[in-house]
Amino acid sequence: MPQGERELPRPTPETSHFWEGTRRGELRLQRCEACGTVYFPPRHFCPKCGSTYVSVFRASGRATLHSYVISHLPAPGFEPPYAIAVALLEEGPKMMCNILECAQTPEALVLDMPLDVCFEKINDEITLPQFRPARES
């Protein structure tokens, strides 16, 4: 990794459906067909019951801000201040992300605020799911 660039995820066979989805502007999750658990991150078995009878589906893209910390320290690929956040997806799982299109302040980043997924294309292989404040519809 060249100095000054952010470290990127490395797709694996278990996560390929997820990364294909983000490239298409879709947030994909998995559901256990044995017990109904919806989970993230991707894996070939259910983290609750261990079943390998799982399916992939397109998530709504809606979430709420569960938690965050604002970093004022420089990091490769990030301009401080930036929020490292946890979004609680409408379907149940939590996902680490950054909050875009929003001031990176405690006044703007209100816990439980509604969020919508957005996608940040990094290169031809990686498009990161991020979140932004939900737009009024």
Side-chain angles (χ1 to χ4, degrees):
M1 176 175 69
Q3 189 173 10
E5 289 186 19
R6 83 195 277 176
E7 189 167 348
L8 297 176
R10 294 180 182 94
T12 65
E14 287 88 9
T15 64
S16 63
H17 70 274
F18 178 79
W19 297 113
E20 179 184 327
T22 61
R23 285 192 301 275
R24 294 175 181 231
E26 298 175 0
L27 181 61
R28 295 179 182 174
L29 299 175
Q30 289 175 287
R31 177 183 294 112
C32 176
E33 297 300 331
C35 73
T37 298
V38 175
Y39 61 91
F40 182 85
R43 64 196 89 165
H44 68 280
F45 63 92
C46 174
K48 183 174 181 182
C49 74
S51 173
T52 57
Y53 185 40
V54 299
S55 62
V56 175
F57 69 98
R58 183 177 180 170
S60 68
R62 292 184 295 272
T64 56
L65 183 58
H66 179 72
S67 180
Y68 69 91
V69 63
I70 299 171
S71 178
H72 294 274
L73 301 173
F78 292 92
E79 185 69 33
Y82 56 93
I84 303 163
V86 176
L88 176 59
L89 304 178
E90 183 176 77
E91 293 79 5
K94 295 174 186 164
M95 178 182 286
M96 287 193 70
C97 62
N98 298 113
I99 306 297
L100 307 180
E101 301 177 25
C102 180
Q104 305 293 286
T105 65
E107 294 77 21
L109 297 167
V110 178
L111 294 180
D112 298 323
M113 70 189 272
L115 303 171
D116 288 328
V117 72
C118 56
F119 297 93
E120 182 182 13
K121 182 176 180 176
I122 304 298
N123 58 38
D124 289 340
E125 187 178 25
I126 299 295
T127 298
L128 296 174
Q130 305 285 20
F131 285 85
R132 65 178 169 223
R135 297 185 175 144
E136 300 297 324
S137 38

